[in-house]
Amino acid sequence: MTAPHWLALYGTLLAAWTAVVLMATPTGWGTLLRDLCLTPAAAAGPGGVLAMWLIMSSAMMLPTALPAFATYDDIAQAHGTGGGGHLIAGYAIVWAGFSALAMVAQLALGRLAILDEPLLAAALLILAGGYQFSPLKDACLSKCRMPLTFFMGHWNDGPFRMGLRLGATCLGCCWALMALGLIGGAMSLGFMALATGLMTLEKLSRGALVPRAIGLACLVGAGFLIGGPA
């Protein structure tokens, strides 16, 4: 895995997680990054908020797709072809689009001054928790868990279009959990590490136990926010 696209992929992952870890440090560049992330969305502006979501999406979603990227390279090598870089580019475009939508949502909610409202947090947790039990979640997750079947079924599309399809499938699987970044804290090391671990685990596991457990935890958290102690 020393091909240029793998080096670029690992470089992007390293840069994204380095930015997140630096943000948790009390001095130097970490202070600048933390100040940016703690700046209200309206003050940070679209560019600042978009940058935060792009970093979050890169750090959290690329690790969950590594098995699929490796599977594609294995198939391409067997066919004597390449295109791994185009596959990753298609995948990245989908999540860049999600980051743009998340930026718009955060700016809109910031202008309404409800980002810190417990009821918004509860609503997003209910949305994420309920989605974990949905047929669409199951369908997208099943495709993410079987990259070999996925690629063989769409091989004639070419690597870039397959990357777009893979990104869309991954988005269908994980968008609701990613949206919790609106309340989990932009660039929060704890939230990002936990969410990345859970999303990776549910893709690598089998059956419905892990996604259902995540959904139940979200619903319990929402119930606590709604009816728990102040």
Side-chain angles (χ1 to χ4, degrees), residues 30 51 55 62 102 115 117 127 170 201 219:
I55 293 172
L62 288 178
L115 273 174
E117 291 293 328
L127 175 65
C170 187
L201 179 61
L219 295 176

Side-chain angles (χ1 to χ4, degrees), residues 86-181:
H86 293 92
L87 178 83
I88 295 173
Y91 182 91
I93 285 175
V94 172
W95 281 101
F98 168 84
S99 298
L101 291 175
M103 175 268 291
V104 172
Q106 186 167 351
L107 288 174
L109 293 171
R111 290 193 181 97
L112 294 175
I114 59 174
L115 273 174
D116 296 326
E117 291 293 328
L119 286 180
L120 174 64
L124 287 175
L125 284 168
I126 291 172
L127 175 65
Y131 189 70
Q132 291 293 111
F133 294 87
S134 70
L136 181 57
K137 168 74 179 193
D138 290 341
C140 291
L141 183 57
S142 66
K143 292 181 179 180
C144 289
R145 286 172 168 174
M146 297 185 293
L148 177 60
T149 303
F150 174 86
F151 289 130
M152 295 307 294
H154 300 289
W155 193 255
N156 291 334
D157 290 345
F160 181 73
R161 290 182 61 187
M162 279 192 288
L164 292 174
R165 285 182 178 273
L166 180 64
T169 300
C170 187
L171 179 64
C173 181
C174 301
W175 70 269
L177 292 176
M178 283 291 292
L180 293 179

